[in-house]
Amino acid sequence: MNVFEQPPTVPPGGRGRAGRRPPKTPKGRQVDPQALEEVRALLGERERRRDLLIEHLHLIQDRYGYLSAAHLAALAQEMQLALAEVYEVATFYAHFDVVKEGDTPPPAVTVRVCDSLSCALAGAERLLKDLPARLGANVRIVRAPCMGACDRAPVCAVGHVQVEQADSARVAAATAAPPHAQAYDTAAPLATYERSGGYELLKACTGGTRSRDDVIKAVSDAGLRGLGGAGFPTGRKWSLVRGEPAPRLFAVNADEGEPGTFKDRYYLQRDPHRFIEGMLIAAWVVEAADTYLYVRDEYPEVRLLLEQELAKVEAAGLSRHTGIHLRRGAGAYICGEESAMIESIEGKRGLPRHRPPYVAQVGLFGRPTLEQNVETLFWIRDIVEKGATWFSSQGRHERKGFRSFSVSGRVKNPGVKLAPAGVTVRELIAEFCGGMADGHTFKGYLPGGASGGILPASMGDIPLDFGTLEQYGCFVGSHAVVILSEKDDMKAVALNLMKFFEDESCGQCTPCRVGTEKATKLMAKGPWDGALLEELSTLMRDASICGLGQAAPNPLLCVLKYFPDDLKKPLGHW
């Protein structure tokens, strides 16, 4: 026998070579039997697959209000995962409250106050100051990023339910009897939608009346582009994915987290089946074996609505060609990036992947994957039924199609505005928003949310569309337009946006993780050192892995370039 195969010699008395007694229990955190039974009861008959880790964490968080060390250890054992894997995922997402062993659990009620730009303009900082005294020590109050209700700012979330146009009295009333999320009463349930011709196009596709090439040609001729921000031609993307080997998958991004953006929520609330039909048609076109719908956690009513309506669609046999899986986000802006979203669907931290390979080649579970956002799919039925010319004939200033603008800030009538592509911000304010809010004069605007830069009112006649703003250091992105007035300090605006990027950086790459932190400190300290901030911005743009770090400097660079008068003033506030 080899000496290494022999059992260790233990002298009389039971001590080992070092004179220590052998441990009574195995190394590592021990699983509490009661916690294990509680986790097993919550999971029930659900599968213990690795990609369901985030879904299972939500079950525990929803039931107990936080994630205890005992429950995390029990979940790790039940799913046969390393405890480190469970911890790294649980601590990555903002909506999971991880309580370490020996720490005090959070209060039963948590109020999240949105401090992103539109809510800051509407008084979020005042709410953060007033609420602690009003609500007392038994309610936890925390800052939170954009909740997708910028047209009804300021917004707070009591648990998961939002209080819109919030003041301290309304929030206090909500905390006294915390509400529960309920599905929206949609105006277009399945039966109503079918009576108006809904799903006839899908049936024509799956029944062989329509060909895949015909549908691709229709969306290509219409000029439909991805409306989540990147603007990639939809028909071309479908063709690229179809050219990859089967099995292919489909990931739908309903995680709009760009500050100022809320158009996807708008369409899902009002006409969910038009989106679902577009999703099922796209899945048929690329022959996706499974479709994963990733819904942001800030939209619990939308998620519940989709659960009930998708169940009806499946029961009606409309989705036989693709399996549908609804997945719940957990509070991470970075998961709006397609590869980070795919990582999250797989039950991991939302870290963007290096490219190549691209998602269309190696995406979800290593398979070729089509990725689309909600609004893009919403237009599929109308374009194919009414013809490409119907869609492409819309537009202004030599642009084509419709665009859904999420408008917030200093206007009389904020909201989702369906307008011709290429409309200017002056036209958008005057024709669609009722003009500027009383007492405010147009000074500047964000054409594409937090990452799209800031332009002055003097540049308010540029068509808003893909490719029209890049030469000015901006882009239209998800068409989130925030209107600013002479009462707003542009340095404070840019600082608010940089703080958002600092908080939402996934931390994977140093240029973004450290760059946003350093930029925030330099901007807050003042006076601004333009040369130093530009040097830091160049580093972030050139070396960051994904669009978050690459676009984060856009607002500060725009302030340096277009708002020199604001640079001379002390840092303002709301």
Side-chain angles (χ1 to χ4, degrees):
M1 178 183 289
N2 188 299
V3 67
F4 296 107
E5 297 176 354
Q6 296 177 3
T9 302
V10 181
R15 295 182 182 272
R17 292 176 183 173
R20 293 177 299 187
R21 293 186 182 277
K24 295 181 179 179
T25 58
K27 291 183 178 180
R29 186 184 299 278
Q30 301 308 298
V31 175
D32 178 79
Q34 181 178 346
L36 183 59
E37 287 303 313
E38 290 169 347
V39 167
R40 286 174 174 169
L42 282 174
L43 269 55
E45 299 299 319
R46 295 175 176 85
E47 295 184 72
R48 271 61 166 169
R49 298 197 319 265
R50 175 67 175 81
D51 62 290
L52 294 174
L53 174 57
I54 293 174
E55 298 297 310
H56 296 343
L57 288 169
H58 275 302
L59 290 174
I60 300 172
Q61 173 90 21
D62 290 346
R63 171 63 179 84
Y64 295 99
Y66 61 95
L67 301 174
S68 68
H71 283 137
L72 291 178
L75 181 63
Q77 176 171 305
E78 187 66 11
M79 297 187 69
Q80 298 184 3
L81 294 173
L83 183 55
E85 290 184 77
V86 176
Y87 260 92
E88 72 175 8
V89 172
T91 55
F92 180 85
Y93 295 93
H95 290 182
F96 290 142
D97 292 313
V98 177
V99 177
K100 297 179 181 178
E101 192 169 10
D103 288 354
T104 303
V109 178
T110 294
V111 174
R112 290 181 167 85
V113 182
C114 176
D115 66 353
S116 290
L117 182 58
S118 296
C119 285
L121 296 174
E125 295 298 327
R126 185 170 60 253
L127 265 177
L128 285 162
K129 181 179 178 181
D130 295 344
L131 285 176
R134 181 69 182 259
L135 302 182
N138 292 327
V139 176
R140 182 177 58 157
I141 301 164
V142 297
R143 291 178 177 270
C146 185
M147 298 179 184
C150 315
D151 54 333
R152 289 159 282 182
V155 179
C156 299
V158 178
H160 277 294
V161 180
Q162 293 180 5
V163 179
E164 299 167 348
Q165 297 176 329
D167 57 30
S168 56
R170 296 188 67 190
V171 175
T175 58
H180 296 284
Q182 296 182 346
Y184 289 104
D185 291 328
T186 173
L190 178 58
T192 303
Y193 183 73
E194 287 185 311
R195 282 196 295 270
S196 64
Y199 291 108
E200 290 303 317
L201 176 59
L202 174 65
K203 292 174 184 177
C205 291
T206 57
T209 306
R210 297 265 189 175
S211 72
R212 291 178 171 85
D213 289 338
D214 288 343
V215 176
I216 291 176
K217 185 177 186 303
V219 299
S220 297
D221 291 349
L224 181 64
R225 305 176 69 165
L227 298 172
F232 194 86
T234 300
R236 184 180 171 195
K237 180 182 281 191
W238 288 2
S239 296
L240 288 172
V241 174
R242 280 190 72 206
E244 297 294 327
R248 294 177 286 273
L249 301 176
F250 186 14
V252 181
N253 189 342
D255 190 56
E256 56 177 358
E258 183 77 17
T261 308
F262 45 91
K263 59 188 176 67
D264 290 351
R265 180 186 200 173
Y266 174 87
Y267 286 121
L268 289 172
Q269 287 175 354
R270 287 159 178 77
D271 201 353
H273 284 284
R274 193 172 299 270
F275 152 73
I276 294 172
E277 183 171 11
M279 178 182 74
L280 292 174
I281 290 170
W284 169 79
V285 167
V286 300
E287 299 176 84
D290 288 280
T291 297
Y292 290 80
L293 176 52
Y294 189 85
V295 183
R296 72 181 306 203
D297 202 30
E298 290 85 349
Y299 294 173
E301 295 89 351
V302 168
R303 178 172 51 81
L304 293 173
L305 169 64
L306 288 171
E307 280 183 358
Q308 74 179 25
E309 297 306 313
L310 286 171
K312 296 176 185 177
V313 165
E314 291 187 51
L318 296 169
S319 60
R320 294 191 187 98
H321 58 290
T322 185
I324 301 177
H325 311 271
L326 189 63
R327 293 296 173 87
R328 177 178 173 184
Y333 165 72
I334 191 64
C335 289
E337 196 274 339
E338 60 177 4
S339 65
M341 177 186 69
I342 282 173
E343 290 286 302
S344 189
I345 291 173
E346 293 179 356
K348 306 171 187 175
R349 293 176 295 167
L351 302 181
R353 297 177 180 178
H354 292 271
R355 305 176 201 181
Y358 295 94
V359 166
Q361 302 164 312
V362 181
L364 190 57
F365 306 119
R367 301 307 311 164
T369 302
L370 173 67
E371 190 274 343
Q372 303 268 220
N373 91 305
V374 168
E375 192 196 354
T376 307
L377 299 171
F378 185 87
W379 289 112
I380 300 300
R381 175 190 167 189
D382 284 333
I383 287 173
V384 178
E385 287 186 343
K386 297 179 181 179
T389 304
W390 165 79
F391 189 81
S392 62
S393 64
Q394 310 299 320
R396 295 184 185 180
H397 308 294
E398 301 180 352
R399 315 304 295 185
K400 295 181 179 180
F402 288 110
R403 297 290 184 267
S404 301
F405 293 89
S406 306
V407 186
S408 61
R410 310 297 195 180
V411 291
K412 284 185 180 178
N413 303 315
V416 173
K417 311 297 178 181
L418 181 60
V423 68
T424 69
V425 73
R426 290 191 191 279
E427 293 168 341
L428 197 61
I429 294 170
E431 299 177 33
F432 296 88
C433 301
M436 294 292 293
D438 294 338
H440 291 272
T441 302
F442 183 35
K443 177 180 179 179
Y445 64 106
L446 279 65
S451 57
I454 310 172
L455 290 173
S458 60
M459 300 174 69
D461 296 314
I462 303 170
L464 297 176
D465 202 16
F466 300 110
T468 62
L469 301 171
E470 282 75 3
Q471 61 183 309
Y472 308 109
C474 299
F475 53 79
V476 75
S478 61
H479 295 75
V481 179
V482 183
I483 306 299
L484 305 167
S485 78
E486 84 292 343
K487 296 184 179 181
D488 301 317
D489 173 19
M490 296 303 169
K491 288 196 300 181
V493 169
L495 178 58
N496 175 281
L497 301 175
M498 188 59 74
K499 285 181 176 178
F500 168 80
F501 290 123
E502 178 190 11
D503 186 61
E504 292 296 324
S505 172
C506 74
Q508 180 179 192
C509 68
T510 303
C512 177
R513 181 185 68 249
V514 178
T516 53
E517 178 189 2
K518 295 297 183 184
T520 298
K521 290 180 178 177
L522 290 169
M523 294 165 72
K525 182 180 179 181
W528 284 20
D529 184 333
L532 180 58
L533 286 170
E534 287 183 2
E535 182 180 357
L536 179 60
S537 298
T538 300
L539 173 64
M540 293 169 64
R541 281 182 161 180
D542 292 347
S544 294
I545 290 174
C546 79
L548 191 154
Q550 295 163 9
N554 287 346
L556 81 86
L557 292 173
C558 286
V559 172
L560 290 171
K561 184 175 183 179
Y562 299 119
F563 299 94
D565 291 342
D566 286 68
L567 297 175
K568 303 172 185 177
K569 304 173 184 176
L571 183 65
H573 58 84
W574 294 285

